[in-house]
Amino acid sequence: MVVSNADAKKAGINGFNNGIAGYPVGQCTGFVASILRANKVPESKYSYLGNGNQWAANAKSRGIKVDMKPSVGAVVSFKAYGSSYYGAYGHVAYITKVNSNGSVHLYEGNFSGLSFHERDANIDSAVAGVIHFSDGGGTTTPPKPNTKDSAAIQEFKKNGNAYKVTKAFRVDELKQINGMWQIVNYKLAGGKPVNWTNNGIPVAIVDKTDSAGKKTSNQVLKVGDYAKFMSSFDNGTIDAYDTPTNGVGIIMGKYGMIWFNADEFKKMK
């Protein structure tokens, strides 16, 4: 189902003004998510997909078709720093028309801070992917998922989704991704290969420590060092679960959603 453009505009503005499906007020993600809800897309497909630049990869991991072929009702995920419009966290927008030259007409929120904006855009190197939620693009067939929560996820849920992580972890990789320095720990990421979009931990939210968790005077991180979350990020509530991958997702303020292996994250308390 794809609603009329008038209804899509109305739904988008509502999502921008009020937030929806775990997306905060005043963001492009809430704008698009609200249109997807109007299109009768199951919320499990579009909730907690992260920042705009993360939507394509995260939707694909859920078995949703992602390609570079635009169609009405699909969603465009733009890369971080793809152009001057998109900044550090990328952008998402909703396709209302595919033009004869292959460009698309978009409805979007938080373009220059506006609750509603429309424009034409090209599907080019700035695009992370075109996501086919409800436009007839179909879905890929994902592997048969686990349907039962792990013991770790069950315990988090039993405790009201609360977490507290105070232990240090090893820096296994260090890279500049999406315009910021990030680190990963292979165990926390659930193994290799690592998905930096999902599992990268911004250096800005950790302290460098020794292996026992004591903060060091030299805070320049390198591979092989140890780190732990700063006090403002080491506790809170889990925002999302992914039972098939045994994942827990936490929105770390402006840095968006980070996913951790539930078993290893539980060991961090």
Side-chain angles (χ1 to χ4, degrees), residues 168-189:
F169 56 89
R170 187 180 186 275
V171 177
D172 291 323
E173 290 190 47
L174 170 68
K175 288 184 180 180
Q176 191 171 25
I177 303 290
N178 295 335
M180 71 183 84
W181 284 100
Q182 301 185 46
I183 58 177
V184 291
N185 172 270
Y186 295 142
K187 290 183 178 179
L188 285 175

PDB file of all heavy atoms in Angstrom, residues 168-189:
ATOM      1  N   ALA A 168      36.323  -2.626  31.507  1.00  0.00           N
ATOM      2  CA  ALA A 168      37.096  -2.193  30.340  1.00  0.00           C
ATOM      3  C   ALA A 168      37.049  -3.268  29.256  1.00  0.00           C
ATOM      4  O   ALA A 168      36.881  -4.459  29.537  1.00  0.00           O
ATOM      5  CB  ALA A 168      38.538  -1.914  30.740  1.00  0.00           C
ATOM      6  N   PHE A 169      37.191  -2.855  28.019  1.00  0.00           N
ATOM      7  CA  PHE A 169      37.242  -3.784  26.896  1.00  0.00           C
ATOM      8  C   PHE A 169      38.405  -3.409  25.985  1.00  0.00           C
ATOM      9  O   PHE A 169      38.851  -2.250  25.946  1.00  0.00           O
ATOM     10  CB  PHE A 169      35.925  -3.785  26.112  1.00  0.00           C
ATOM     11  CG  PHE A 169      35.500  -2.426  25.600  1.00  0.00           C
ATOM     12  CD1 PHE A 169      35.903  -1.963  24.356  1.00  0.00           C
ATOM     13  CD2 PHE A 169      34.684  -1.608  26.376  1.00  0.00           C
ATOM     14  CE1 PHE A 169      35.513  -0.721  23.887  1.00  0.00           C
ATOM     15  CE2 PHE A 169      34.286  -0.356  25.922  1.00  0.00           C
ATOM     16  CZ  PHE A 169      34.704   0.084  24.675  1.00  0.00           C
ATOM     17  N   ARG A 170      38.915  -4.381  25.251  1.00  0.00           N
ATOM     18  CA  ARG A 170      40.074  -4.174  24.388  1.00  0.00           C
ATOM     19  C   ARG A 170      39.670  -3.476  23.094  1.00  0.00           C
ATOM     20  O   ARG A 170      38.608  -3.746  22.526  1.00  0.00           O
ATOM     21  CB  ARG A 170      40.736  -5.513  24.058  1.00  0.00           C
ATOM     22  CG  ARG A 170      42.060  -5.395  23.302  1.00  0.00           C
ATOM     23  CD  ARG A 170      42.638  -6.778  23.018  1.00  0.00           C
ATOM     24  NE  ARG A 170      43.956  -6.681  22.431  1.00  0.00           N
ATOM     25  CZ  ARG A 170      44.206  -6.517  21.120  1.00  0.00           C
ATOM     26  NH1 ARG A 170      43.179  -6.406  20.278  1.00  0.00           N
ATOM     27  NH2 ARG A 170      45.430  -6.453  20.665  1.00  0.00           N
ATOM     28  N   VAL A 171      40.503  -2.573  22.626  1.00  0.00           N
ATOM     29  CA  VAL A 171      40.308  -1.923  21.333  1.00  0.00           C
ATOM     30  C   VAL A 171      40.911  -2.833  20.266  1.00  0.00           C
ATOM     31  O   VAL A 171      42.125  -2.940  20.130  1.00  0.00           O
ATOM     32  CB  VAL A 171      40.978  -0.534  21.300  1.00  0.00           C
ATOM     33  CG1 VAL A 171      40.820   0.099  19.914  1.00  0.00           C
ATOM     34  CG2 VAL A 171      40.394   0.382  22.369  1.00  0.00           C
ATOM     35  N   ASP A 172      40.047  -3.499  19.501  1.00  0.00           N
ATOM     36  CA  ASP A 172      40.528  -4.433  18.477  1.00  0.00           C
ATOM     37  C   ASP A 172      40.736  -3.758  17.123  1.00  0.00           C
ATOM     38  O   ASP A 172      41.557  -4.202  16.328  1.00  0.00           O
ATOM     39  CB  ASP A 172      39.545  -5.592  18.328  1.00  0.00           C
ATOM     40  CG  ASP A 172      39.542  -6.505  19.542  1.00  0.00           C
ATOM     41  OD1 ASP A 172      40.627  -6.726  20.120  1.00  0.00           O
ATOM     42  OD2 ASP A 172      38.463  -6.994  19.927  1.00  0.00           O
ATOM     43  N   GLU A 173      39.965  -2.698  16.854  1.00  0.00           N
ATOM     44  CA  GLU A 173      40.162  -1.907  15.639  1.00  0.00           C
ATOM     45  C   GLU A 173      39.852  -0.454  15.950  1.00  0.00           C
ATOM     46  O   GLU A 173      39.045  -0.157  16.842  1.00  0.00           O
ATOM     47  CB  GLU A 173      39.267  -2.390  14.497  1.00  0.00           C
ATOM     48  CG  GLU A 173      39.630  -3.739  13.919  1.00  0.00           C
ATOM     49  CD  GLU A 173      38.858  -4.050  12.638  1.00  0.00           C
ATOM     50  OE1 GLU A 173      38.786  -3.161  11.752  1.00  0.00           O
ATOM     51  OE2 GLU A 173      38.326  -5.167  12.533  1.00  0.00           O
ATOM     52  N   LEU A 174      40.460   0.430  15.197  1.00  0.00           N
ATOM     53  CA  LEU A 174      40.271   1.874  15.349  1.00  0.00           C
ATOM     54  C   LEU A 174      40.265   2.483  13.955  1.00  0.00           C
ATOM     55  O   LEU A 174      41.220   2.331  13.194  1.00  0.00           O
ATOM     56  CB  LEU A 174      41.405   2.469  16.192  1.00  0.00           C
ATOM     57  CG  LEU A 174      41.516   3.996  16.274  1.00  0.00           C
ATOM     58  CD1 LEU A 174      40.354   4.579  17.052  1.00  0.00           C
ATOM     59  CD2 LEU A 174      42.837   4.396  16.943  1.00  0.00           C
ATOM     60  N   LYS A 175      39.146   3.155  13.610  1.00  0.00           N
ATOM     61  CA  LYS A 175      39.032   3.742  12.276  1.00  0.00           C
ATOM     62  C   LYS A 175      38.236   5.042  12.331  1.00  0.00           C
ATOM     63  O   LYS A 175      37.430   5.250  13.251  1.00  0.00           O
ATOM     64  CB  LYS A 175      38.320   2.790  11.304  1.00  0.00           C
ATOM     65  CG  LYS A 175      39.117   1.583  10.883  1.00  0.00           C
ATOM     66  CD  LYS A 175      38.351   0.764   9.844  1.00  0.00           C
ATOM     67  CE  LYS A 175      39.124  -0.448   9.400  1.00  0.00           C
ATOM     68  NZ  LYS A 175      38.371  -1.239   8.377  1.00  0.00           N
ATOM     69  N   GLN A 176      38.445   5.877  11.329  1.00  0.00           N
ATOM     70  CA  GLN A 176      37.604   7.051  11.162  1.00  0.00           C
ATOM     71  C   GLN A 176      36.477   6.682  10.199  1.00  0.00           C
ATOM     72  O   GLN A 176      36.700   6.432   9.018  1.00  0.00           O
ATOM     73  CB  GLN A 176      38.383   8.242  10.621  1.00  0.00           C
ATOM     74  CG  GLN A 176      37.595   9.546  10.686  1.00  0.00           C
ATOM     75  CD  GLN A 176      38.445  10.760  10.354  1.00  0.00           C
ATOM     76  OE1 GLN A 176      39.439  10.649   9.654  1.00  0.00           O
ATOM     77  NE2 GLN A 176      38.061  11.912  10.846  1.00  0.00           N
ATOM     78  N   ILE A 177      35.252   6.594  10.740  1.00  0.00           N
ATOM     79  CA  ILE A 177      34.086   6.157   9.986  1.00  0.00           C
ATOM     80  C   ILE A 177      32.990   7.205  10.143  1.00  0.00           C
ATOM     81  O   ILE A 177      32.743   7.689  11.240  1.00  0.00           O
ATOM     82  CB  ILE A 177      33.559   4.799  10.506  1.00  0.00           C
ATOM     83  CG1 ILE A 177      34.654   3.727  10.440  1.00  0.00           C
ATOM     84  CG2 ILE A 177      32.320   4.363   9.741  1.00  0.00           C
ATOM     85  CD1 ILE A 177      35.019   3.289   9.048  1.00  0.00           C
ATOM     86  N   ASN A 178      32.325   7.531   9.029  1.00  0.00           N
ATOM     87  CA  ASN A 178      31.223   8.500   9.072  1.00  0.00           C
ATOM     88  C   ASN A 178      31.638   9.821   9.725  1.00  0.00           C
ATOM     89  O   ASN A 178      30.863  10.440  10.451  1.00  0.00           O
ATOM     90  CB  ASN A 178      30.007   7.910   9.795  1.00  0.00           C
ATOM     91  CG  ASN A 178      29.403   6.730   9.067  1.00  0.00           C
ATOM     92  OD1 ASN A 178      29.543   6.612   7.856  1.00  0.00           O
ATOM     93  ND2 ASN A 178      28.748   5.843   9.800  1.00  0.00           N
ATOM     94  N   GLY A 179      32.881  10.226   9.488  1.00  0.00           N
ATOM     95  CA  GLY A 179      33.346  11.518   9.968  1.00  0.00           C
ATOM     96  C   GLY A 179      33.766  11.560  11.422  1.00  0.00           C
ATOM     97  O   GLY A 179      34.011  12.639  11.962  1.00  0.00           O
ATOM     98  N   MET A 180      33.878  10.394  12.077  1.00  0.00           N
ATOM     99  CA  MET A 180      34.304  10.386  13.485  1.00  0.00           C
ATOM    100  C   MET A 180      35.172   9.158  13.754  1.00  0.00           C
ATOM    101  O   MET A 180      35.036   8.123  13.102  1.00  0.00           O
ATOM    102  CB  MET A 180      33.095  10.394  14.419  1.00  0.00           C
ATOM    103  CG  MET A 180      32.310   9.106  14.455  1.00  0.00           C
ATOM    104  SD  MET A 180      30.842   9.181  15.509  1.00  0.00           S
ATOM    105  CE  MET A 180      29.682   9.916  14.352  1.00  0.00           C
ATOM    106  N   TRP A 181      36.078   9.291  14.724  1.00  0.00           N
ATOM    107  CA  TRP A 181      36.901   8.156  15.118  1.00  0.00           C
ATOM    108  C   TRP A 181      36.062   7.195  15.942  1.00  0.00           C
ATOM    109  O   TRP A 181      35.367   7.602  16.874  1.00  0.00           O
ATOM    110  CB  TRP A 181      38.122   8.623  15.898  1.00  0.00           C
ATOM    111  CG  TRP A 181      39.164   9.216  15.007  1.00  0.00           C
ATOM    112  CD1 TRP A 181      39.408  10.533  14.774  1.00  0.00           C
ATOM    113  CD2 TRP A 181      40.101   8.485  14.204  1.00  0.00           C
ATOM    114  NE1 TRP A 181      40.423  10.688  13.865  1.00  0.00           N
ATOM    115  CE2 TRP A 181      40.871   9.444  13.494  1.00  0.00           C
ATOM    116  CE3 TRP A 181      40.359   7.133  13.998  1.00  0.00           C
ATOM    117  CZ2 TRP A 181      41.884   9.081  12.615  1.00  0.00           C
ATOM    118  CZ3 TRP A 181      41.379   6.768  13.113  1.00  0.00           C
ATOM    119  CH2 TRP A 181      42.129   7.727  12.435  1.00  0.00           C
ATOM    120  N   GLN A 182      36.152   5.904  15.585  1.00  0.00           N
ATOM    121  CA  GLN A 182      35.393   4.871  16.273  1.00  0.00           C
ATOM    122  C   GLN A 182      36.291   3.677  16.576  1.00  0.00           C
ATOM    123  O   GLN A 182      37.318   3.475  15.916  1.00  0.00           O
ATOM    124  CB  GLN A 182      34.206   4.406  15.422  1.00  0.00           C
ATOM    125  CG  GLN A 182      33.220   5.508  15.071  1.00  0.00           C
ATOM    126  CD  GLN A 182      32.011   4.975  14.331  1.00  0.00           C
ATOM    127  OE1 GLN A 182      31.425   3.967  14.715  1.00  0.00           O
ATOM    128  NE2 GLN A 182      31.629   5.636  13.253  1.00  0.00           N
ATOM    129  N   ILE A 183      35.877   2.898  17.569  1.00  0.00           N
ATOM    130  CA  ILE A 183      36.584   1.682  17.921  1.00  0.00           C
ATOM    131  C   ILE A 183      35.592   0.525  17.927  1.00  0.00           C
ATOM    132  O   ILE A 183      34.386   0.728  18.023  1.00  0.00           O
ATOM    133  CB  ILE A 183      37.264   1.786  19.307  1.00  0.00           C
ATOM    134  CG1 ILE A 183      36.231   2.106  20.396  1.00  0.00           C
ATOM    135  CG2 ILE A 183      38.376   2.835  19.286  1.00  0.00           C
ATOM    136  CD1 ILE A 183      36.803   2.155  21.803  1.00  0.00           C
ATOM    137  N   VAL A 184      36.127  -0.687  17.822  1.00  0.00           N
ATOM    138  CA  VAL A 184      35.301  -1.871  17.994  1.00  0.00           C
ATOM    139  C   VAL A 184      36.036  -2.889  18.845  1.00  0.00           C
ATOM    140  O   VAL A 184      37.275  -2.939  18.858  1.00  0.00           O
ATOM    141  CB  VAL A 184      34.907  -2.539  16.651  1.00  0.00           C
ATOM    142  CG1 VAL A 184      33.947  -1.689  15.870  1.00  0.00           C
ATOM    143  CG2 VAL A 184      36.123  -2.910  15.847  1.00  0.00           C
ATOM    144  N   ASN A 185      35.259  -3.662  19.572  1.00  0.00           N
ATOM    145  CA  ASN A 185      35.736  -4.850  20.261  1.00  0.00           C
ATOM    146  C   ASN A 185      35.020  -6.028  19.621  1.00  0.00           C
ATOM    147  O   ASN A 185      33.795  -6.026  19.527  1.00  0.00           O
ATOM    148  CB  ASN A 185      35.423  -4.761  21.756  1.00  0.00           C
ATOM    149  CG  ASN A 185      35.732  -6.047  22.489  1.00  0.00           C
ATOM    150  OD1 ASN A 185      34.864  -6.911  22.592  1.00  0.00           O
ATOM    151  ND2 ASN A 185      36.942  -6.181  22.998  1.00  0.00           N
ATOM    152  N   TYR A 186      35.770  -7.011  19.156  1.00  0.00           N
ATOM    153  CA  TYR A 186      35.163  -8.085  18.386  1.00  0.00           C
ATOM    154  C   TYR A 186      34.099  -8.840  19.175  1.00  0.00           C
ATOM    155  O   TYR A 186      33.064  -9.231  18.630  1.00  0.00           O
ATOM    156  CB  TYR A 186      36.232  -9.060  17.901  1.00  0.00           C
ATOM    157  CG  TYR A 186      37.211  -8.471  16.912  1.00  0.00           C
ATOM    158  CD1 TYR A 186      38.559  -8.822  16.949  1.00  0.00           C
ATOM    159  CD2 TYR A 186      36.788  -7.573  15.930  1.00  0.00           C
ATOM    160  CE1 TYR A 186      39.465  -8.299  16.040  1.00  0.00           C
ATOM    161  CE2 TYR A 186      37.687  -7.046  15.018  1.00  0.00           C
ATOM    162  CZ  TYR A 186      39.031  -7.405  15.080  1.00  0.00           C
ATOM    163  OH  TYR A 186      39.918  -6.875  14.178  1.00  0.00           O
ATOM    164  N   LYS A 187      34.336  -9.073  20.459  1.00  0.00           N
ATOM    165  CA  LYS A 187      33.351  -9.805  21.252  1.00  0.00           C
ATOM    166  C   LYS A 187      32.063  -9.002  21.406  1.00  0.00           C
ATOM    167  O   LYS A 187      30.962  -9.532  21.229  1.00  0.00           O
ATOM    168  CB  LYS A 187      33.937 -10.159  22.618  1.00  0.00           C
ATOM    169  CG  LYS A 187      35.035 -11.217  22.583  1.00  0.00           C
ATOM    170  CD  LYS A 187      35.517 -11.553  23.986  1.00  0.00           C
ATOM    171  CE  LYS A 187      36.579 -12.645  23.960  1.00  0.00           C
ATOM    172  NZ  LYS A 187      37.063 -12.969  25.325  1.00  0.00           N
ATOM    173  N   LEU A 188      32.187  -7.715  21.732  1.00  0.00           N
ATOM    174  CA  LEU A 188      30.997  -6.881  21.878  1.00  0.00           C
ATOM    175  C   LEU A 188      30.225  -6.768  20.564  1.00  0.00           C
ATOM    176  O   LEU A 188      29.000  -6.635  20.562  1.00  0.00           O
ATOM    177  CB  LEU A 188      31.377  -5.492  22.376  1.00  0.00           C
ATOM    178  CG  LEU A 188      31.762  -5.365  23.853  1.00  0.00           C
ATOM    179  CD1 LEU A 188      32.226  -3.947  24.157  1.00  0.00           C
ATOM    180  CD2 LEU A 188      30.589  -5.741  24.757  1.00  0.00           C
ATOM    181  N   ALA A 189      30.957  -6.819  19.444  1.00  0.00           N
ATOM    182  CA  ALA A 189      30.317  -6.718  18.129  1.00  0.00           C
ATOM    183  C   ALA A 189      29.697  -8.032  17.678  1.00  0.00           C
ATOM    184  O   ALA A 189      29.013  -8.076  16.655  1.00  0.00           O
ATOM    185  CB  ALA A 189      31.331  -6.237  17.098  1.00  0.00           C
TER     186      ALA A 189
END
